[in-house]
Amino acid sequence: MPGINEIVLVVVIAVAIFFLARKSRRGPVMKPVFSFKEKMGGWKRLAIVASILWTILIGAYLEPWHNNALQFIYIGIIPVALAWGIAWVIEGYRKEKY
């Protein structure tokens, strides 16, 4: 069982880290990859909704909780993951050109 000294030491270190981090005026070293201020296009929103609906509808049709889990993965999840993977690669090539 930890003594009072160990508990106080941990609290002092945590408080010191908290205050030193707030006192620092440096900005972040790395630029974030995705900004929430960035507008999302209509096609990307449509793709997100279509992905969610496809997975829900295939899940409701196949009922993976009744021994169709592997079929649900093949028909419901893999096509969505493959489509998003292809879109991600294409987006990377487009950003590389500019």
Side-chain angles (χ1 to χ4, degrees):
M1 180 142 192
I4 189 75
N5 290 338
E6 289 88 1
I7 294 172
V8 170
L9 180 63
V10 169
V11 169
V12 167
I13 290 172
V15 168
I17 289 173
F18 178 73
F19 281 115
L20 287 177
R22 290 189 73 190
K23 203 171 192 179
S24 173
R25 296 288 180 194
R26 285 189 334 182
V29 177
M30 292 176 46
K31 184 178 149 186
V33 176
F34 178 76
S35 172
F36 286 106
K37 293 179 183 177
E38 188 177 304
K39 301 273 186 198
M40 194 182 320
W43 288 109
K44 194 174 281 188
R45 291 174 193 242
L46 179 64
I48 291 171
V49 170
S51 299
I52 293 170
L53 283 177
W54 175 261
T55 308
I56 290 172
L57 291 175
I58 293 296
Y61 178 71
L62 292 177
E63 296 177 348
W65 51 90
H66 292 296
N67 299 327
N68 287 335
L70 196 58
Q71 194 176 16
F72 172 70
I73 290 172
Y74 287 147
I75 298 173
I77 295 177
I78 289 179
V80 172
L82 186 65
W84 280 107
I86 291 170
W88 180 57
V89 169
I90 291 171
E91 181 105 9
Y93 278 115
R94 282 186 184 163
K95 284 186 178 182
E96 192 175 278
K97 287 182 181 179
Y98 300 114

Coordinates of all heavy atoms in Angstrom, one line a residue:
M1 N 0.9 -1.2 0.0 CA 0.0 0.0 0.0 C 0.9 1.2 0.0 O 1.8 1.3 0.8 CB -0.9 -0.1 1.2 CG -1.8 1.1 1.4 SD -3.4 0.5 2.0 CE -4.3 1.9 1.7
P2 N 0.6 2.2 -0.9 CA 1.5 3.4 -1.0 C 1.3 4.3 0.2 O 0.2 4.4 0.8 CB 1.0 4.1 -2.3 CG -0.4 3.6 -2.5 CD -0.4 2.2 -1.9
G3 N 2.4 4.8 0.6 CA 2.4 5.8 1.7 C 2.0 7.2 1.3 O 1.8 7.4 0.1
I4 N 1.9 8.0 2.2 CA 1.5 9.4 1.9 C 2.5 10.1 1.1 O 2.2 11.0 0.2 CB 1.2 10.2 3.2 CG1 0.6 11.6 3.0 CG2 2.5 10.4 4.0 CD1 -0.8 11.4 2.6
N5 N 3.8 9.8 1.2 CA 4.9 10.4 0.4 C 4.7 10.1 -1.1 O 4.9 11.0 -1.9 CB 6.3 10.0 0.9 CG 6.6 10.5 2.2 OD1 6.1 11.5 2.7 ND2 7.5 9.8 2.9
E6 N 4.4 8.9 -1.4 CA 4.2 8.5 -2.8 C 3.0 9.2 -3.4 O 3.1 9.7 -4.5 CB 4.1 7.0 -3.0 CG 5.4 6.3 -2.7 CD 5.6 5.9 -1.2 OE1 4.7 6.2 -0.4 OE2 6.6 5.3 -0.9
I7 N 1.9 9.3 -2.7 CA 0.7 9.9 -3.1 C 1.0 11.4 -3.4 O 0.6 12.0 -4.4 CB -0.4 9.7 -2.2 CG1 -0.8 8.2 -2.1 CG2 -1.7 10.5 -2.6 CD1 -1.8 7.8 -1.1
V8 N 1.6 12.1 -2.4 CA 1.9 13.5 -2.6 C 2.8 13.8 -3.8 O 2.7 14.7 -4.5 CB 2.5 14.1 -1.3 CG1 3.0 15.5 -1.5 CG2 1.5 14.1 -0.2
L9 N 3.8 12.9 -3.9 CA 4.8 13.0 -5.1 C 4.0 12.9 -6.4 O 4.3 13.7 -7.3 CB 5.9 12.0 -5.0 CG 6.9 12.0 -6.1 CD1 7.7 13.3 -6.0 CD2 7.9 10.8 -5.9
V10 N 3.1 12.0 -6.5 CA 2.4 11.8 -7.8 C 1.5 13.0 -8.0 O 1.4 13.5 -9.1 CB 1.5 10.5 -7.7 CG1 0.5 10.5 -8.9 CG2 2.4 9.3 -7.7
V11 N 0.8 13.6 -7.0 CA 0.0 14.7 -7.1 C 0.8 16.0 -7.5 O 0.5 16.7 -8.4 CB -0.8 15.0 -5.8 CG1 -1.4 16.4 -5.9 CG2 -1.8 13.9 -5.6
V12 N 2.0 16.1 -6.9 CA 2.9 17.3 -7.3 C 3.4 17.2 -8.7 O 3.4 18.2 -9.4 CB 4.1 17.3 -6.3 CG1 5.2 18.3 -6.8 CG2 3.6 17.8 -4.9
I13 N 3.7 16.0 -9.2 CA 4.2 15.8 -10.5 C 3.0 16.1 -11.5 O 3.2 16.8 -12.5 CB 4.7 14.4 -10.8 CG1 6.1 14.2 -10.0 CG2 4.9 14.1 -12.2 CD1 6.6 12.8 -10.0
A14 N 1.8 15.6 -11.2 CA 0.7 15.9 -12.1 C 0.3 17.3 -12.2 O 0.1 17.9 -13.2 CB -0.5 15.1 -11.6
V15 N 0.4 18.0 -11.0 CA 0.1 19.5 -11.0 C 1.2 20.2 -11.8 O 0.9 21.2 -12.5 CB -0.1 20.0 -9.6 CG1 -0.1 21.5 -9.5 CG2 -1.3 19.4 -8.9
A16 N 2.4 19.9 -11.6 CA 3.5 20.5 -12.3 C 3.4 20.4 -13.8 O 3.6 21.3 -14.5 CB 4.9 20.0 -11.8
I17 N 3.1 19.2 -14.2 CA 2.9 18.9 -15.6 C 1.7 19.7 -16.2 O 1.8 20.4 -17.3 CB 2.7 17.4 -15.9 CG1 4.0 16.7 -15.7 CG2 2.2 17.2 -17.4 CD1 3.9 15.2 -15.8
F18 N 0.6 19.8 -15.4 CA -0.5 20.6 -15.9 C -0.2 22.1 -16.0 O -0.5 22.7 -17.0 CB -1.7 20.3 -14.9 CG -2.9 21.1 -15.2 CD1 -3.7 20.7 -16.3 CD2 -3.3 22.2 -14.5 CE1 -4.9 21.5 -16.6 CE2 -4.4 23.0 -14.8 CZ -5.2 22.6 -15.8
F19 N 0.4 22.6 -15.0 CA 0.7 24.1 -15.1 C 1.8 24.4 -16.0 O 1.8 25.5 -16.7 CB 1.1 24.6 -13.7 CG -0.2 24.8 -12.8 CD1 -0.4 24.1 -11.7 CD2 -1.1 25.8 -13.2 CE1 -1.5 24.3 -10.9 CE2 -2.2 26.0 -12.4 CZ -2.4 25.2 -11.3
L20 N 2.8 23.5 -16.2 CA 3.9 23.8 -17.2 C 3.3 23.7 -18.6 O 3.7 24.5 -19.5 CB 5.0 22.8 -17.0 CG 5.9 23.1 -15.8 CD1 7.0 22.0 -15.7 CD2 6.6 24.4 -15.8
A21 N 2.4 22.8 -18.8 CA 1.8 22.7 -20.2 C 1.0 24.0 -20.5 O 0.9 24.4 -21.6 CB 1.0 21.5 -20.3
R22 N 0.3 24.5 -19.5 CA -0.5 25.7 -19.7 C 0.3 26.9 -19.9 O -0.1 27.9 -20.6 CB -1.5 25.9 -18.6 CG -2.6 24.8 -18.6 CD -3.7 25.1 -17.6 NE -4.5 26.2 -18.1 CZ -5.4 26.9 -17.4 NH1 -5.6 26.5 -16.2 NH2 -6.0 27.8 -17.9
K23 N 1.5 27.0 -19.2 CA 2.3 28.1 -19.2 C 3.1 28.2 -20.6 O 3.4 29.3 -21.0 CB 3.3 28.0 -18.1 CG 3.9 29.3 -17.6 CD 4.7 29.2 -16.4 CE 5.0 30.5 -15.8 NZ 5.7 30.4 -14.6
S24 N 3.3 27.1 -21.2 CA 4.0 27.1 -22.5 C 3.2 27.8 -23.6 O 2.0 27.6 -23.7 CB 4.3 25.7 -22.9 OG 4.8 25.7 -24.2
R25 N 3.8 28.7 -24.3 CA 3.1 29.5 -25.3 C 3.4 28.9 -26.7 O 2.9 29.5 -27.7 CB 3.5 30.9 -25.3 CG 3.2 31.7 -24.0 CD 1.7 31.9 -24.0 NE 1.3 32.6 -22.8 CZ 0.1 32.7 -22.4 NH1 -0.9 32.2 -23.0 NH2 -0.2 33.4 -21.2
R26 N 4.1 27.8 -26.8 CA 4.4 27.3 -28.1 C 3.1 26.7 -28.7 O 2.3 26.1 -28.0 CB 5.4 26.2 -28.0 CG 6.8 26.7 -27.8 CD 7.8 25.6 -27.9 NE 7.3 24.3 -27.6 CZ 8.0 23.2 -27.6 NH1 9.3 23.2 -27.9 NH2 7.5 22.0 -27.3
G27 N 3.0 26.7 -30.0 CA 1.9 26.1 -30.8 C 2.3 24.6 -31.0 O 3.4 24.2 -30.7
P28 N 1.3 23.9 -31.5 CA 1.6 22.5 -31.8 C 2.7 22.3 -32.9 O 2.8 23.1 -33.8 CB 0.3 22.0 -32.3 CG -0.5 23.2 -32.7 CD 0.0 24.3 -31.9
V29 N 3.5 21.3 -32.7 CA 4.6 21.1 -33.6 C 4.1 20.5 -34.9 O 4.5 20.9 -36.0 CB 5.6 20.1 -33.0 CG1 6.7 19.8 -33.9 CG2 6.2 20.7 -31.7
M30 N 3.1 19.6 -34.8 CA 2.6 19.0 -36.0 C 1.3 19.7 -36.4 O 0.5 20.0 -35.6 CB 2.3 17.5 -35.8 CG 3.6 16.7 -35.6 SD 3.3 15.0 -35.2 CE 2.1 14.5 -36.4
K31 N 1.1 19.8 -37.7 CA -0.2 20.3 -38.2 C -1.2 19.2 -38.3 O -0.9 18.1 -38.8 CB 0.1 20.9 -39.6 CG -1.1 21.5 -40.3 CD -0.7 22.1 -41.6 CE -1.9 22.0 -42.5 NZ -1.6 22.4 -43.9
P32 N -2.4 19.5 -37.8 CA -3.4 18.4 -37.8 C -3.8 18.0 -39.3 O -3.8 18.8 -40.2 CB -4.6 19.0 -37.1 CG -4.4 20.4 -37.1 CD -2.9 20.7 -37.2
V33 N -4.1 16.7 -39.4 CA -4.4 16.2 -40.8 C -5.8 16.6 -41.2 O -6.0 17.0 -42.3 CB -4.3 14.6 -40.8 CG1 -4.7 14.1 -42.1 CG2 -2.9 14.2 -40.4
F34 N -6.7 16.6 -40.3 CA -8.1 16.9 -40.6 C -8.6 18.0 -39.7 O -8.4 17.9 -38.5 CB -9.0 15.7 -40.5 CG -10.5 16.0 -40.8 CD1 -10.9 16.2 -42.1 CD2 -11.4 16.1 -39.8 CE1 -12.2 16.5 -42.3 CE2 -12.7 16.4 -40.0 CZ -13.1 16.6 -41.3
S35 N -9.1 19.0 -40.2 CA -9.6 20.1 -39.4 C -11.2 20.1 -39.5 O -11.8 19.9 -40.5 CB -9.1 21.5 -40.0 OG -9.8 22.5 -39.3
F36 N -11.8 20.2 -38.3 CA -13.2 20.2 -38.3 C -13.8 21.5 -38.9 O -15.0 21.5 -39.2 CB -13.7 20.0 -36.8 CG -13.5 18.6 -36.3 CD1 -12.6 18.4 -35.4 CD2 -14.3 17.6 -36.8 CE1 -12.4 17.1 -34.9 CE2 -14.2 16.3 -36.3 CZ -13.2 16.1 -35.4
K37 N -13.0 22.5 -39.1 CA -13.5 23.7 -39.7 C -13.5 23.5 -41.3 O -14.2 24.2 -42.0 CB -12.5 24.9 -39.4 CG -12.6 25.3 -38.0 CD -11.6 26.4 -37.7 CE -11.6 26.8 -36.3 NZ -10.6 27.8 -36.0
E38 N -12.8 22.5 -41.7 CA -12.8 22.1 -43.1 C -14.2 21.7 -43.6 O -14.8 20.8 -42.9 CB -11.8 21.0 -43.4 CG -11.5 20.7 -44.8 CD -10.4 19.7 -44.9 OE1 -9.3 19.9 -44.3 OE2 -10.7 18.6 -45.5
K39 N -14.7 22.2 -44.6 CA -16.1 21.8 -45.1 C -16.0 20.4 -45.8 O -15.1 20.1 -46.5 CB -16.5 22.8 -46.1 CG -16.6 24.2 -45.6 CD -18.0 24.5 -45.0 CE -18.0 26.0 -44.6 NZ -19.0 26.3 -43.7
M40 N -17.0 19.7 -45.5 CA -17.1 18.3 -46.1 C -18.1 18.5 -47.3 O -19.2 19.0 -47.1 CB -17.6 17.3 -45.1 CG -17.5 15.9 -45.5 SD -18.1 14.7 -44.4 CE -17.7 15.2 -42.8
G41 N -17.7 17.9 -48.4 CA -18.5 18.0 -49.6 C -19.7 17.2 -49.6 O -19.8 16.2 -48.8
G42 N -20.7 17.4 -50.5 CA -21.9 16.7 -50.5 C -21.7 15.2 -50.9 O -22.4 14.3 -50.4
W43 N -20.7 15.0 -51.8 CA -20.4 13.6 -52.2 C -19.9 12.7 -51.1 O -20.2 11.6 -50.9 CB -19.5 13.5 -53.4 CG -20.1 14.0 -54.7 CD1 -19.8 15.2 -55.3 CD2 -21.1 13.3 -55.4 NE1 -20.6 15.3 -56.4 CE2 -21.4 14.2 -56.5 CE3 -21.8 12.1 -55.3 CZ2 -22.4 13.8 -57.5 CZ3 -22.7 11.8 -56.2 CH2 -23.0 12.6 -57.3
K44 N -19.1 13.4 -50.3 CA -18.5 12.6 -49.1 C -19.6 12.4 -48.1 O -19.7 11.3 -47.5 CB -17.4 13.4 -48.5 CG -16.6 12.5 -47.5 CD -15.3 13.3 -47.0 CE -14.3 13.2 -48.0 NZ -13.0 13.8 -47.6
R45 N -20.5 13.3 -47.9 CA -21.6 13.1 -47.0 C -22.5 12.0 -47.5 O -23.0 11.1 -46.7 CB -22.4 14.4 -46.8 CG -21.7 15.5 -46.0 CD -22.5 16.7 -46.1 NE -21.6 17.8 -45.6 CZ -21.9 18.6 -44.5 NH1 -23.0 18.3 -43.8 NH2 -21.1 19.5 -44.2
L46 N -22.8 12.0 -48.8 CA -23.6 11.0 -49.4 C -23.0 9.6 -49.2 O -23.6 8.6 -48.9 CB -23.9 11.3 -50.9 CG -24.7 10.3 -51.6 CD1 -26.1 10.2 -51.1 CD2 -24.7 10.6 -53.1
A47 N -21.7 9.5 -49.4 CA -21.0 8.2 -49.2 C -21.0 7.7 -47.8 O -21.2 6.5 -47.6 CB -19.5 8.4 -49.7
I48 N -20.9 8.6 -46.8 CA -21.0 8.2 -45.4 C -22.4 7.7 -45.1 O -22.6 6.6 -44.5 CB -20.7 9.4 -44.5 CG1 -19.2 9.7 -44.6 CG2 -21.0 9.1 -43.1 CD1 -18.8 11.0 -43.9
V49 N -23.4 8.4 -45.6 CA -24.8 7.9 -45.3 C -25.1 6.6 -46.1 O -25.7 5.7 -45.5 CB -25.8 9.0 -45.8 CG1 -27.2 8.5 -45.8 CG2 -25.7 10.2 -44.9
A50 N -24.6 6.5 -47.3 CA -24.8 5.2 -48.0 C -24.1 4.1 -47.4 O -24.6 2.9 -47.3 CB -24.3 5.4 -49.5
S51 N -22.9 4.3 -46.8 CA -22.1 3.3 -46.1 C -22.9 2.8 -44.9 O -23.0 1.6 -44.6 CB -20.8 3.8 -45.7 OG -20.0 4.1 -46.8
I52 N -23.4 3.7 -44.1 CA -24.2 3.4 -42.9 C -25.4 2.6 -43.3 O -25.8 1.6 -42.7 CB -24.4 4.6 -42.1 CG1 -23.1 5.2 -41.5 CG2 -25.4 4.3 -40.9 CD1 -23.3 6.6 -40.9
L53 N -26.2 3.1 -44.2 CA -27.4 2.5 -44.6 C -27.2 1.1 -45.2 O -27.9 0.2 -44.9 CB -28.2 3.3 -45.7 CG -28.9 4.5 -45.1 CD1 -29.5 5.3 -46.2 CD2 -30.0 4.1 -44.1
W54 N -26.1 0.9 -46.0 CA -25.8 -0.4 -46.6 C -25.6 -1.4 -45.5 O -26.1 -2.5 -45.5 CB -24.6 -0.3 -47.5 CG -24.1 -1.6 -48.0 CD1 -23.1 -2.4 -47.6 CD2 -24.7 -2.3 -49.1 NE1 -23.0 -3.5 -48.3 CE2 -24.0 -3.5 -49.2 CE3 -25.8 -2.1 -50.0 CZ2 -24.3 -4.5 -50.2 CZ3 -26.1 -3.1 -50.9 CH2 -25.3 -4.2 -51.0
T55 N -24.7 -1.0 -44.5 CA -24.4 -1.9 -43.4 C -25.7 -2.3 -42.6 O -25.9 -3.4 -42.2 CB -23.3 -1.3 -42.5 OG1 -22.2 -0.9 -43.3 CG2 -22.8 -2.3 -41.5
I56 N -26.5 -1.3 -42.3 CA -27.7 -1.5 -41.5 C -28.7 -2.4 -42.3 O -29.2 -3.4 -41.7 CB -28.4 -0.2 -41.1 CG1 -27.5 0.5 -40.1 CG2 -29.8 -0.4 -40.6 CD1 -28.0 1.9 -39.8
L57 N -28.9 -2.1 -43.6 CA -29.9 -2.9 -44.3 C -29.4 -4.3 -44.6 O -30.2 -5.3 -44.4 CB -30.1 -2.2 -45.7 CG -30.9 -0.9 -45.6 CD1 -31.0 -0.2 -47.0 CD2 -32.3 -1.1 -45.0
I58 N -28.1 -4.5 -44.9 CA -27.6 -5.9 -45.0 C -27.7 -6.6 -43.7 O -28.0 -7.8 -43.6 CB -26.2 -5.8 -45.6 CG1 -26.2 -5.3 -47.0 CG2 -25.5 -7.2 -45.5 CD1 -27.0 -6.2 -48.0
G59 N -27.4 -5.9 -42.6 CA -27.5 -6.5 -41.3 C -28.9 -7.0 -40.9 O -29.1 -8.0 -40.4
A60 N -29.9 -6.1 -41.3 CA -31.3 -6.5 -41.0 C -31.7 -7.6 -41.9 O -32.5 -8.5 -41.5 CB -32.2 -5.2 -41.3
Y61 N -31.2 -7.7 -43.2 CA -31.6 -8.7 -44.1 C -31.0 -10.1 -43.7 O -31.7 -11.1 -43.7 CB -31.3 -8.3 -45.5 CG -31.6 -9.4 -46.5 CD1 -32.9 -9.6 -46.9 CD2 -30.6 -10.1 -47.1 CE1 -33.2 -10.6 -47.8 CE2 -30.9 -11.1 -48.1 CZ -32.2 -11.3 -48.4 OH -32.5 -12.3 -49.3
L62 N -29.7 -10.1 -43.4 CA -29.0 -11.3 -43.2 C -29.1 -11.8 -41.7 O -28.8 -13.0 -41.4 CB -27.5 -11.2 -43.6 CG -27.2 -11.0 -45.0 CD1 -25.7 -10.8 -45.2 CD2 -27.7 -12.2 -45.8
E63 N -29.4 -10.9 -40.8 CA -29.4 -11.2 -39.4 C -28.2 -11.9 -38.9 O -28.2 -13.1 -38.6 CB -30.7 -12.0 -39.1 CG -32.0 -11.3 -39.3 CD -33.2 -12.1 -39.1 OE1 -33.1 -13.3 -38.9 OE2 -34.3 -11.5 -39.1
P64 N -27.1 -11.2 -38.8 CA -25.8 -11.9 -38.5 C -25.8 -12.5 -37.1 O -24.9 -13.4 -36.8 CB -24.7 -10.8 -38.6 CG -25.5 -9.5 -38.5 CD -26.9 -9.8 -39.0
W65 N -26.7 -12.2 -36.3 CA -26.8 -12.8 -34.9 C -27.4 -14.2 -35.0 O -27.4 -14.9 -34.0 CB -27.5 -11.9 -34.0 CG -28.9 -11.5 -34.5 CD1 -30.1 -12.1 -34.3 CD2 -29.2 -10.3 -35.3 NE1 -31.1 -11.4 -34.9 CE2 -30.5 -10.3 -35.6 CE3 -28.4 -9.3 -35.8 CZ2 -31.2 -9.3 -36.3 CZ3 -29.0 -8.3 -36.5 CH2 -30.4 -8.3 -36.8
H66 N -27.8 -14.6 -36.1 CA -28.4 -16.0 -36.3 C -27.5 -16.8 -37.3 O -27.9 -17.2 -38.3 CB -29.8 -15.9 -36.9 CG -30.8 -15.4 -35.9 ND1 -31.1 -16.0 -34.7 CD2 -31.6 -14.3 -36.0 CE1 -32.0 -15.3 -34.1 NE2 -32.3 -14.2 -34.9
N67 N -26.2 -16.9 -37.0 CA -25.3 -17.8 -37.7 C -25.0 -17.3 -39.1 O -24.6 -18.1 -40.0 CB -25.7 -19.2 -37.7 CG -25.8 -19.8 -36.3 OD1 -25.0 -19.5 -35.5 ND2 -26.8 -20.7 -36.1
N68 N -25.2 -16.1 -39.5 CA -24.8 -15.5 -40.8 C -23.7 -14.5 -40.6 O -23.6 -13.6 -41.5 CB -26.0 -14.9 -41.5 CG -27.0 -16.0 -42.0 OD1 -26.6 -17.1 -42.2 ND2 -28.2 -15.6 -42.1
A69 N -22.9 -14.6 -39.6 CA -21.9 -13.5 -39.4 C -20.9 -13.4 -40.5 O -20.5 -12.3 -40.9 CB -21.2 -13.8 -38.0
L70 N -20.4 -14.6 -40.9 CA -19.4 -14.5 -42.0 C -19.9 -14.0 -43.3 O -19.3 -13.2 -44.0 CB -18.8 -16.0 -42.2 CG -17.5 -16.1 -43.0 CD1 -16.4 -15.3 -42.3 CD2 -17.1 -17.5 -43.1
Q71 N -21.1 -14.3 -43.6 CA -21.8 -13.8 -44.8 C -22.0 -12.3 -44.7 O -21.8 -11.6 -45.7 CB -23.1 -14.5 -45.0 CG -23.7 -14.3 -46.4 CD -25.0 -15.2 -46.6 OE1 -25.6 -15.6 -45.6 NE2 -25.4 -15.3 -47.8
F72 N -22.4 -11.8 -43.5 CA -22.5 -10.4 -43.3 C -21.2 -9.7 -43.5 O -21.2 -8.6 -44.0 CB -23.1 -10.2 -41.9 CG -23.1 -8.7 -41.5 CD1 -24.0 -7.9 -42.1 CD2 -22.3 -8.2 -40.5 CE1 -24.0 -6.5 -41.7 CE2 -22.3 -6.9 -40.2 CZ -23.2 -6.0 -40.8
I73 N -20.1 -10.3 -43.0 CA -18.8 -9.6 -43.2 C -18.5 -9.6 -44.7 O -18.0 -8.5 -45.1 CB -17.7 -10.4 -42.4 CG1 -18.0 -10.2 -40.9 CG2 -16.3 -9.9 -42.8 CD1 -17.1 -11.1 -40.0
Y74 N -18.7 -10.6 -45.4 CA -18.4 -10.6 -46.8 C -19.3 -9.7 -47.6 O -18.8 -9.0 -48.5 CB -18.6 -12.1 -47.4 CG -17.5 -13.0 -47.0 CD1 -17.8 -14.4 -46.8 CD2 -16.2 -12.6 -46.8 CE1 -16.9 -15.3 -46.5 CE2 -15.3 -13.5 -46.4 CZ -15.6 -14.9 -46.2 OH -14.6 -15.8 -45.8
I75 N -20.5 -9.6 -47.3 CA -21.5 -8.8 -48.2 C -21.7 -7.4 -47.6 O -21.9 -6.4 -48.3 CB -22.8 -9.5 -48.3 CG1 -22.6 -10.9 -49.0 CG2 -23.8 -8.7 -49.1 CD1 -23.8 -11.7 -49.1
G76 N -21.6 -7.3 -46.3 CA -21.9 -6.0 -45.7 C -20.8 -5.1 -45.3 O -20.8 -3.9 -45.6
I77 N -19.7 -5.7 -44.8 CA -18.6 -4.9 -44.3 C -17.5 -4.7 -45.3 O -16.9 -3.6 -45.5 CB -18.1 -5.4 -42.9 CG1 -19.2 -5.3 -41.9 CG2 -16.9 -4.7 -42.4 CD1 -18.9 -5.9 -40.5
I78 N -17.1 -5.8 -45.9 CA -15.9 -5.7 -46.8 C -16.1 -4.8 -48.0 O -15.2 -4.0 -48.3 CB -15.5 -7.2 -47.3 CG1 -14.9 -7.9 -46.1 CG2 -14.5 -7.1 -48.4 CD1 -14.5 -9.3 -46.4
P79 N -17.3 -4.8 -48.6 CA -17.5 -3.8 -49.7 C -17.4 -2.3 -49.3 O -16.8 -1.5 -50.0 CB -18.9 -4.1 -50.3 CG -19.2 -5.5 -49.9 CD -18.4 -5.7 -48.6
V80 N -17.9 -2.1 -48.1 CA -17.8 -0.7 -47.6 C -16.4 -0.3 -47.3 O -15.9 0.7 -47.6 CB -18.7 -0.5 -46.3 CG1 -18.5 0.8 -45.7 CG2 -20.2 -0.7 -46.7
A81 N -15.6 -1.2 -46.6 CA -14.2 -1.0 -46.3 C -13.4 -0.9 -47.6 O -12.5 0.0 -47.6 CB -13.7 -2.1 -45.4
L82 N -13.7 -1.7 -48.6 CA -12.9 -1.6 -49.8 C -13.2 -0.3 -50.5 O -12.3 0.4 -51.0 CB -13.3 -2.8 -50.7 CG -12.6 -3.0 -52.0 CD1 -11.1 -3.3 -51.7 CD2 -13.2 -4.0 -52.8
A83 N -14.5 0.1 -50.6 CA -14.8 1.4 -51.2 C -14.1 2.6 -50.5 O -13.6 3.5 -51.2 CB -16.3 1.6 -51.2
W84 N -14.1 2.6 -49.2 CA -13.5 3.7 -48.5 C -12.0 3.6 -48.6 O -11.3 4.7 -48.7 CB -13.9 3.7 -47.0 CG -15.2 4.3 -46.8 CD1 -16.4 3.7 -46.5 CD2 -15.5 5.7 -46.9 NE1 -17.4 4.6 -46.4 CE2 -16.9 5.9 -46.7 CE3 -14.8 6.8 -47.2 CZ2 -17.6 7.1 -46.7 CZ3 -15.4 8.1 -47.2 CH2 -16.8 8.2 -47.0
G85 N -11.4 2.4 -48.7 CA -10.0 2.3 -48.9 C -9.6 2.9 -50.3 O -8.6 3.6 -50.4
I86 N -10.4 2.6 -51.3 CA -10.1 3.1 -52.7 C -10.2 4.6 -52.7 O -9.4 5.3 -53.3 CB -11.0 2.4 -53.7 CG1 -10.6 0.9 -53.8 CG2 -10.9 3.1 -55.0 CD1 -11.6 0.1 -54.7
A87 N -11.3 5.1 -52.0 CA -11.5 6.6 -52.0 C -10.3 7.2 -51.3 O -9.9 8.3 -51.7 CB -12.8 6.9 -51.3
W88 N -9.8 6.6 -50.2 CA -8.7 7.2 -49.5 C -7.4 7.3 -50.3 O -6.7 8.2 -50.3 CB -8.5 6.3 -48.2 CG -7.4 6.8 -47.3 CD1 -7.3 8.0 -46.7 CD2 -6.3 6.0 -46.9 NE1 -6.1 8.0 -45.9 CE2 -5.5 6.7 -46.0 CE3 -5.9 4.7 -47.1 CZ2 -4.4 6.3 -45.4 CZ3 -4.8 4.2 -46.5 CH2 -4.0 5.0 -45.7
V89 N -7.2 6.2 -51.1 CA -6.0 6.2 -51.9 C -6.1 7.2 -53.0 O -5.2 8.0 -53.3 CB -5.8 4.8 -52.5 CG1 -4.7 4.8 -53.6 CG2 -5.4 3.8 -51.4
I90 N -7.3 7.3 -53.7 CA -7.5 8.3 -54.7 C -7.3 9.7 -54.2 O -6.7 10.6 -54.8 CB -8.9 8.1 -55.4 CG1 -8.9 6.8 -56.2 CG2 -9.2 9.3 -56.3 CD1 -10.2 6.4 -56.7
E91 N -7.9 10.0 -53.0 CA -7.7 11.3 -52.4 C -6.2 11.6 -52.1 O -5.8 12.8 -52.3 CB -8.5 11.3 -51.1 CG -8.4 12.6 -50.4 CD -9.7 13.4 -50.5 OE1 -10.7 12.8 -51.0 OE2 -9.7 14.6 -50.1
G92 N -5.5 10.6 -51.7 CA -4.0 10.8 -51.5 C -3.3 11.2 -52.8 O -2.5 12.1 -52.8
Y93 N -3.6 10.5 -53.9 CA -3.0 10.9 -55.2 C -3.5 12.3 -55.6 O -2.7 13.0 -56.2 CB -3.4 9.8 -56.2 CG -2.5 8.6 -56.2 CD1 -3.0 7.4 -55.9 CD2 -1.1 8.7 -56.4 CE1 -2.2 6.3 -55.8 CE2 -0.3 7.6 -56.4 CZ -0.9 6.4 -56.1 OH -0.1 5.3 -56.0
R94 N -4.7 12.6 -55.4 CA -5.1 14.0 -55.8 C -4.4 15.1 -55.0 O -4.0 16.1 -55.5 CB -6.6 14.1 -55.6 CG -7.4 13.4 -56.7 CD -8.9 13.7 -56.5 NE -9.7 13.0 -57.5 CZ -11.0 12.8 -57.4 NH1 -11.6 13.2 -56.3 NH2 -11.6 12.1 -58.3
K95 N -4.3 14.9 -53.7 CA -3.6 15.9 -52.9 C -2.1 15.9 -53.2 O -1.5 17.0 -53.1 CB -3.7 15.5 -51.4 CG -5.1 15.9 -50.9 CD -5.2 15.7 -49.4 CE -6.5 16.1 -48.9 NZ -6.6 15.9 -47.4
E96 N -1.5 14.8 -53.7 CA -0.1 14.8 -54.1 C 0.2 15.7 -55.3 O 1.2 16.3 -55.4 CB 0.3 13.4 -54.4 CG 1.8 13.2 -54.5 CD 2.1 11.7 -54.6 OE1 2.2 11.0 -53.6 OE2 2.3 11.3 -55.8
K97 N -0.8 15.8 -56.2 CA -0.7 16.5 -57.4 C -0.6 18.0 -57.2 O 0.0 18.8 -57.8 CB -1.8 16.2 -58.4 CG -1.7 14.9 -59.1 CD -2.8 14.7 -60.1 CE -2.7 13.4 -60.7 NZ -3.8 13.2 -61.7
Y98 N -1.4 18.5 -56.1 CA -1.5 19.9 -55.9 C -0.4 20.4 -54.9 O 0.1 20.1 -54.1 CB -2.9 20.3 -55.4 CG -3.9 19.9 -56.4 CD1 -4.9 18.9 -56.1 CD2 -4.0 20.6 -57.6 CE1 -5.8 18.6 -57.0 CE2 -5.0 20.2 -58.5 CZ -5.9 19.2 -58.2 OH -6.9 18.9 -59.1

